[in-house]
Amino acid sequence: MTTKFDIKKEKVANDIASLWQPISEKEYKLLLDNLTLELFRKNQMIYGDLEKPTRAMMLIQGKAKVYKDGISGRNQILRVIKHGEFFGFRAHFAGEDYKTIATALEPGIVAWFPLDVLDKLIEGNNNICKFFLKYLSIELGNSDDRIVNLTQKHIRGRLAEALLFLADSYGLEEDGYTLSIYLSREDLANLSNMTTSNAIRTLSAFANEHLIAIDGRKIKLIQLEELKNISQMG
């Protein structure tokens, strides 16, 4: 659903254009004229598996996850999206339907524009083409790292890796300890490639060892260096 926002389209267009500089006035106008801001509720689907990609998207406010349906109803979170990140365009470049699902983790705003507009911008501006080539290359490298971490590390290493990954992606609150994202135990398990029960047990073990502190969905990383050691040891 679209609605009015405190944030202006012009500001969003300026922020996007600053990533692509230099762009011409004509290219900026093409972006601005086709830019839409859309509000998403918590747990609302942004795009679905097997849908045809039609929009290039950037997360303006909130947090989102990209995941794939797994065996026996278990999902695997492949990526978390944070403010200022593009998503939803890879399948278009590959000439295929979406293979993943994107869902809002909290209320947020997505800026989007049609993919045929992106094609025109890329065809006319080599800087924009290079931007998305670099963007996809970085994501591929991150994906390679995640595959190794999720398949070769033991449960403790995977959970420590997930907590550090969330801290790196979303940062910490003002106290310098609390993760700035409150995931359900199921989502944390799906991010760590383990069952929910194993995630709960391992979280409790970390808390008993005073590596973290738990208050509902709030998680404080008390001993960051020790968590890094556990992650590195696998």
Side-chain angles (χ1 to χ4, degrees):
M1 59 182 177
T2 56
T3 186
K4 294 182 179 179
F5 306 98
D6 292 334
I7 191 168
K8 302 297 184 182
K9 275 191 4 175
E10 289 78 5
K11 181 185 184 307
V12 176
N14 289 337
D15 290 343
I16 294 174
S18 69
L19 299 172
W20 297 345
Q21 287 294 340
I23 69 170
S24 67
E25 291 184 9
K26 182 179 179 181
E27 290 164 343
Y28 174 81
K29 187 176 186 305
L30 178 63
L31 171 64
L32 181 61
D33 288 348
N34 289 277
L35 193 64
T36 297
L37 302 183
E38 188 167 355
L39 176 67
F40 285 89
R41 303 181 304 275
K42 181 178 180 179
N43 296 325
Q44 183 178 352
M45 184 182 295
I46 301 173
Y47 69 76
D49 186 21
L50 301 180
E51 288 182 3
K52 180 179 177 59
T54 59
R55 306 180 296 179
M57 293 170 271
M58 174 188 266
L59 189 64
I60 303 302
Q61 290 182 9
K63 302 175 179 69
K65 63 180 178 180
V66 174
Y67 65 97
K68 192 172 181 65
D69 284 332
I71 299 172
S72 302
R74 279 188 60 194
N75 299 323
Q76 179 64 56
I77 296 179
L78 305 173
R79 181 182 169 203
V80 292
I81 311 295
K82 58 186 177 182
H83 169 265
E85 286 191 338
F86 281 94
F87 64 107
F89 60 88
R90 185 212 62 82
H92 171 68
F93 289 160
E96 60 190 23
D97 293 338
Y98 285 123
K99 294 183 176 181
T100 57
I101 303 166
T103 301
L105 286 167
E106 63 183 34
I109 300 171
V110 171
W112 62 266
F113 52 95
L115 281 164
D116 60 350
V117 171
L118 179 59
D119 287 339
K120 291 178 183 177
L121 290 167
I122 286 176
E123 289 169 3
N125 190 320
N126 193 44
N127 290 320
I128 300 176
C129 181
K130 287 182 178 179
F131 172 86
F132 282 98
L133 181 60
K134 182 178 180 180
Y135 203 94
L136 285 172
S137 298
I138 292 172
E139 284 304 316
L140 179 59
N142 291 338
S143 178
D144 290 345
D145 290 340
R146 289 274 294 153
I147 288 172
V148 173
N149 291 335
L150 292 176
T151 56
Q152 295 191 9
K153 290 184 177 181
H154 294 294
I155 286 177
R156 286 173 61 88
R158 293 204 302 269
L159 186 60
E161 170 75 23
L163 295 174
L164 295 170
F165 173 71
L166 292 173
D168 182 62
S169 297
Y170 293 125
L172 303 172
E173 294 186 353
E174 291 183 359
D175 63 5
Y177 296 98
T178 305
L179 290 173
S180 293
I181 181 171
Y182 308 147
L183 287 182
S184 68
R185 298 296 184 263
E186 182 180 6
D187 274 340
L188 191 56
N190 291 339
L191 183 64
S192 309
N193 190 29
M194 63 178 70
T195 64
T196 303
S197 59
N198 278 337
I200 292 171
R201 281 196 294 270
T202 309
L203 273 177
S204 296
F206 282 180
N208 291 334
E209 296 166 32
H210 305 292
L211 301 174
I212 64 173
I214 303 172
D215 181 10
R217 291 191 178 186
K218 292 185 179 182
I219 299 177
K220 290 185 178 182
L221 308 185
I222 305 300
Q223 297 190 46
L224 195 60
E225 290 304 315
E226 184 58 29
L227 288 171
K228 290 179 181 178
N229 290 336
I230 293 171
S231 174
Q232 291 169 0
M233 289 187 298

